[in-house]
Amino acid sequence: MRIESVWIGRGGQGIVTAVYIVAHASISDGLYALANPEFGAERRGAPVKAFLTLTDYFDDSPEPIKNPDVAVFLDDKLIEPMRVVVDAVRPGGYVAVSSGKSPEDVAKLVGRRDVNIAVVDGIGIALKHVGLAVPNGPMVGVFARVMGIPRLESVKEAIASQLGKAVEQNFAAAVEAYKTAVVIPASETGSARASVEIPTTSAFLTGDYELVGWDKIPEGGLAFPGSSLRYKTGSWRVERPVIDHSKCIMCRRCWIYCPDDAVLEVWREAKGPRGRSVKVKSIDFDYNYCKGCGICAEVCPTGAIKMVREI
């Protein structure tokens, strides 16, 4: 037996912990596990992927996983940017997705009929049991459900060893996801794009891709410098800030603390005391760059800013 899986999530969603929990639980069940994460930009919200191989025989080969049996997405907004991972899943394999969307809509996002698709509202379940928008525990439960391993009892032991706290809450989240995940079975037996493999480089958020032969690769290239203007990080968001202008006192604490300059001062139309339309200075957000960290809501002294779930 050999199961190869790739886990896709964001920094702060506990993706590495999730992989370690499945690995430890599987070892407790008598299997062998090889788990290793791969990071791009190391900051909260940045895409992260982790690889996990489970076998019933000893194999310490560090060969990368190129065609997984299972792809686990902790954020449905990463499906399109990481399309190569979806396309590389073996026919008959699984794509497991944490999403607040309907299973049918997620199936459309996945766009393949020759794989099984498992959908669960991982963030909703995590908020219910743990109080955090961290869907790693629920996705551990979904993995155990669709693959039949590891056992839930072993998952609980692994949560205790990995987290050391909030064990009951995280286990309850894993169990609920295990029970409530909706599985859409594969409806076709066709093959995936046989030529697609997950690249061994950290090619995060590269958008559409095209596989070309070595003889078509340009002889020279130009690397653009990194810039928060060029790379719109708004798609990283789970929750968005929404402001109630009637409570805002323009103290600008949100603007000071925002790590991505996503808080703006703008002029907006408002009704004056005599009903006359006037322009007033207000706080607004640039959702192209806001990653939904929630610091603005945390520091707002009047409670004018609330975080509203987006996915």
Side-chain angles (χ1 to χ4, degrees):
M1 185 276 288
R2 183 182 184 88
I3 297 174
E4 296 182 333
S5 61
V6 177
W7 297 58
I8 305 294
R10 299 187 181 280
Q13 288 187 322
I15 181 172
V16 177
T17 302
V19 169
Y20 288 167
I21 288 173
V22 175
H24 280 238
S26 299
I27 291 171
S28 296
D29 287 348
L31 300 175
Y32 296 90
L34 186 62
N36 56 297
E38 184 177 309
F39 301 95
E42 294 191 38
R43 61 173 174 166
R44 193 175 187 85
V48 177
K49 58 184 173 183
F51 301 90
L52 172 65
T53 300
L54 303 176
T55 61
D56 58 1
Y57 57 89
F58 179 71
D59 180 6
D60 62 350
S61 169
E63 288 297 315
I65 295 172
K66 295 183 177 179
N67 291 107
D69 301 290
V70 189
V72 182
F73 284 84
L74 277 70
D75 182 339
D76 63 34
K77 287 192 286 189
L78 286 172
I79 290 177
E80 195 53 44
M82 300 298 287
R83 171 64 55 186
V84 63
V85 175
V86 174
D87 287 349
V89 173
R90 300 176 193 274
Y94 282 87
V95 177
V97 183
S98 170
S99 175
K101 298 182 175 66
S102 71
E104 293 75 19
D105 286 342
V106 174
K108 290 177 184 175
L109 283 176
V110 172
R112 285 186 58 182
R113 296 181 177 178
D114 59 345
V115 297
N116 304 286
I117 300 170
V119 184
V120 74
D121 183 4
I123 289 177
I125 292 174
L127 287 170
K128 173 183 174 183
H129 292 283
V130 188
L132 297 172
V134 180
N136 58 348
M139 296 315 290
V140 168
V142 174
F143 183 92
R145 156 88 176 275
V146 300
M147 302 313 299
I149 54 173
R151 297 179 304 119
L152 285 179
E153 295 81 359
S154 302
V155 167
K156 187 173 185 179
E157 294 176 8
I159 289 174
S161 67
Q162 286 295 309
L163 301 182
K165 59 181 180 181
V167 175
E168 294 298 333
Q169 296 91 327
N170 280 281
F171 181 62
V175 171
E176 180 168 340
Y178 180 96
K179 294 179 178 177
T180 61
V182 176
V183 179
I184 301 174
S187 58
E188 294 181 1
T189 56
S191 62
R193 295 177 58 185
S195 60
V196 175
E197 293 181 341
I198 297 175
T200 54
T201 58
S202 297
F204 289 110
L205 297 174
T206 52
D208 296 335
Y209 64 93
E210 181 182 3
L211 296 176
V212 299
W214 66 269
D215 56 333
K216 295 181 180 178
I217 298 175
E219 293 182 356
L222 178 64
F224 290 94
S227 164
S228 59
L229 289 177
R230 178 180 173 82
Y231 299 104
K232 296 182 178 179
T233 52
S235 64
W236 299 10
R237 195 170 52 239
V238 173
E239 296 176 315
R240 69 163 57 200
V242 175
I243 187 167
D244 179 349
H245 291 292
S246 67
K247 296 182 179 177
C248 178
I249 57 175
M250 289 299 289
C251 66
R252 298 175 177 82
R253 287 173 64 87
C254 52
W255 177 80
I256 293 171
Y257 279 90
C258 178
D260 288 289
D261 288 338
V263 177
L264 308 173
E265 277 192 12
V266 298
W267 291 97
R268 68 180 178 90
E269 295 281 347
K271 289 292 182 185
R274 299 181 182 83
R276 190 163 60 98
S277 184
V278 295
K279 285 187 175 182
V280 296
K281 219 168 205 181
S282 304
I283 293 295
D284 202 350
F285 306 99
D286 188 339
Y287 292 119
N288 284 323
Y289 300 101
C290 169
K291 298 199 298 292
C293 67
I295 291 177
C296 54
E298 194 74 29
V299 301
C300 179
T302 64
I305 301 173
K306 301 293 184 187
M307 300 302 293
V308 178
R309 186 177 165 187
E310 196 168 63
I311 65 172

PDB file of all heavy atoms in Angstrom, residues 31 33 41 51 120 125 192 262 277:
ATOM      1  N   LEU A  31       1.697   2.032  10.206  1.00  0.00           N
ATOM      2  CA  LEU A  31       2.174   2.375   8.864  1.00  0.00           C
ATOM      3  C   LEU A  31       3.482   3.163   8.955  1.00  0.00           C
ATOM      4  O   LEU A  31       3.921   3.552  10.039  1.00  0.00           O
ATOM      5  CB  LEU A  31       1.112   3.196   8.129  1.00  0.00           C
ATOM      6  CG  LEU A  31      -0.247   2.516   7.928  1.00  0.00           C
ATOM      7  CD1 LEU A  31      -1.229   3.483   7.286  1.00  0.00           C
ATOM      8  CD2 LEU A  31      -0.110   1.269   7.063  1.00  0.00           C
ATOM      9  N   ALA A  33       5.406   6.684   7.508  1.00  0.00           N
ATOM     10  CA  ALA A  33       5.004   7.998   7.000  1.00  0.00           C
ATOM     11  C   ALA A  33       6.227   8.855   6.715  1.00  0.00           C
ATOM     12  O   ALA A  33       7.214   8.833   7.462  1.00  0.00           O
ATOM     13  CB  ALA A  33       4.099   8.704   8.023  1.00  0.00           C
ATOM     14  N   ALA A  41       6.900  32.247   0.194  1.00  0.00           N
ATOM     15  CA  ALA A  41       7.117  33.391   1.076  1.00  0.00           C
ATOM     16  C   ALA A  41       6.669  33.010   2.478  1.00  0.00           C
ATOM     17  O   ALA A  41       5.551  32.546   2.676  1.00  0.00           O
ATOM     18  CB  ALA A  41       6.312  34.582   0.577  1.00  0.00           C
ATOM     19  N   PHE A  51       3.898  17.687   1.616  1.00  0.00           N
ATOM     20  CA  PHE A  51       3.800  16.371   0.983  1.00  0.00           C
ATOM     21  C   PHE A  51       3.752  15.301   2.065  1.00  0.00           C
ATOM     22  O   PHE A  51       4.462  15.379   3.072  1.00  0.00           O
ATOM     23  CB  PHE A  51       5.007  16.130   0.066  1.00  0.00           C
ATOM     24  CG  PHE A  51       5.143  17.155  -1.022  1.00  0.00           C
ATOM     25  CD1 PHE A  51       5.881  18.313  -0.824  1.00  0.00           C
ATOM     26  CD2 PHE A  51       4.522  16.975  -2.245  1.00  0.00           C
ATOM     27  CE1 PHE A  51       5.994  19.263  -1.816  1.00  0.00           C
ATOM     28  CE2 PHE A  51       4.627  17.921  -3.249  1.00  0.00           C
ATOM     29  CZ  PHE A  51       5.367  19.074  -3.035  1.00  0.00           C
ATOM     30  N   VAL A 120     -16.061  19.938   2.447  1.00  0.00           N
ATOM     31  CA  VAL A 120     -16.551  20.194   3.798  1.00  0.00           C
ATOM     32  C   VAL A 120     -16.301  21.663   4.127  1.00  0.00           C
ATOM     33  O   VAL A 120     -15.351  22.267   3.607  1.00  0.00           O
ATOM     34  CB  VAL A 120     -15.835  19.283   4.827  1.00  0.00           C
ATOM     35  CG1 VAL A 120     -14.413  19.743   5.078  1.00  0.00           C
ATOM     36  CG2 VAL A 120     -16.603  19.214   6.136  1.00  0.00           C
ATOM     37  N   ILE A 125     -16.616  24.704  10.542  1.00  0.00           N
ATOM     38  CA  ILE A 125     -16.489  23.710  11.612  1.00  0.00           C
ATOM     39  C   ILE A 125     -15.416  24.141  12.607  1.00  0.00           C
ATOM     40  O   ILE A 125     -15.581  24.012  13.828  1.00  0.00           O
ATOM     41  CB  ILE A 125     -16.163  22.329  11.011  1.00  0.00           C
ATOM     42  CG1 ILE A 125     -17.367  21.801  10.226  1.00  0.00           C
ATOM     43  CG2 ILE A 125     -15.767  21.342  12.102  1.00  0.00           C
ATOM     44  CD1 ILE A 125     -17.102  20.514   9.474  1.00  0.00           C
ATOM     45  N   ALA A 192      -6.294  11.546 -16.505  1.00  0.00           N
ATOM     46  CA  ALA A 192      -5.914  12.935 -16.307  1.00  0.00           C
ATOM     47  C   ALA A 192      -4.906  13.320 -17.385  1.00  0.00           C
ATOM     48  O   ALA A 192      -4.526  12.503 -18.224  1.00  0.00           O
ATOM     49  CB  ALA A 192      -5.300  13.112 -14.927  1.00  0.00           C
ATOM     50  N   ALA A 262      -3.285  48.449   3.342  1.00  0.00           N
ATOM     51  CA  ALA A 262      -4.569  48.217   2.695  1.00  0.00           C
ATOM     52  C   ALA A 262      -5.675  49.097   3.260  1.00  0.00           C
ATOM     53  O   ALA A 262      -6.799  49.054   2.786  1.00  0.00           O
ATOM     54  CB  ALA A 262      -4.971  46.739   2.842  1.00  0.00           C
ATOM     55  N   SER A 277     -25.850  67.199   0.607  1.00  0.00           N
ATOM     56  CA  SER A 277     -24.836  66.205   0.276  1.00  0.00           C
ATOM     57  C   SER A 277     -23.447  66.833   0.388  1.00  0.00           C
ATOM     58  O   SER A 277     -23.173  67.874  -0.227  1.00  0.00           O
ATOM     59  CB  SER A 277     -25.072  65.685  -1.150  1.00  0.00           C
ATOM     60  OG  SER A 277     -24.160  64.674  -1.450  1.00  0.00           O
TER      61      SER A 277
END
